[in-house]
Amino acid sequence: MALDAFDRALIAATQGGLPLVARPYEAVGAMLGVPGEQVRERLEHMLAQGLVRRIGAVPNHYRLGYTANGMSVWDVADEQVAALGPRVAALPGVSHCYRRPRHLPGWPYNLFAMLHGTSRESVAQQASEIAALLGDACRGHDILYSTAILKKTGLRLKD
């Protein structure tokens, strides 16, 4: 998809993130001199064309008070992981959950669930709830705690 001048201006205006206001498309539109509806429609078109993969919110968990963030990893019976994964993903403390291939012999885990809490103890409690939910289908697990905040960025245009 070829970018026109408006596309480039729109990407430049949003590459640092949408404004944190009640009506972000209108705010971007005001910067570009177009209605917010035109911004929304063009972003929707970019999504449909595959130029933009998604538009989403990326919370800063630390600023929200969640200073203990751990990726819980689970060795779940393959024949049960498809049914149990969505149940884990629906738990309140899980921000994202997905299935990944095992890398045996050293990495037996096939279900990952990111947990957020105000302490490692609260994350461990959430992991206990997941373990109870998984029951006998779970053969082992671990929690890998975050040690640094990684900068997340979206689409960027080269100058």
Side-chain angles (χ1 to χ4, degrees):
M1 177 178 156
L3 297 177
D4 62 21
F6 179 72
D7 293 332
R8 288 186 169 282
L10 178 56
I11 291 169
T14 59
Q15 67 186 3
L18 290 172
L20 297 176
V21 297
R23 301 184 67 83
Y25 297 135
E26 282 77 5
V28 172
M31 289 188 286
L32 300 176
V34 300
E37 184 64 17
Q38 186 176 341
V39 169
R40 189 196 59 76
E41 287 173 356
R42 190 61 188 163
L43 287 172
E44 190 175 273
H45 179 73
M46 289 178 173
L47 281 166
Q49 295 299 310
L51 181 62
V52 175
R53 286 188 300 166
R54 68 178 177 259
I55 297 172
V58 181
N60 181 327
H61 295 97
Y62 290 90
R63 287 183 63 193
L64 295 172
Y66 296 102
T67 56
N69 301 290
M71 177 60 75
S72 64
V73 293
W74 304 87
D75 177 5
V76 178
D78 288 327
E79 63 276 4
Q80 295 180 38
V81 71
L84 292 169
R87 293 179 60 199
V88 170
L91 294 173
V94 176
S95 64
H96 48 283
C97 179
Y98 43 90
R99 184 179 186 176
R100 290 289 187 257
R102 305 171 193 278
H103 292 282
L104 299 173
W107 191 258
Y109 308 112
N110 61 342
L111 183 66
F112 294 34
M114 191 69 193
L115 304 174
H116 305 281
T118 56
S119 67
R120 286 190 176 206
E121 293 77 19
S122 66
V123 171
Q125 176 58 41
Q126 292 174 59
S128 294
E129 292 170 18
I130 293 173
L133 186 150
L134 296 174
D136 292 340
C138 178
R139 299 179 292 228
H141 75 277
D142 201 353
I143 304 173
L144 312 172
Y145 287 96
S146 300
T147 58
I149 300 173
L150 302 176
K151 183 178 179 186
K152 299 173 181 133
T153 60
L155 177 64
R156 298 278 190 252
L157 292 177
K158 291 185 175 187
D159 293 330

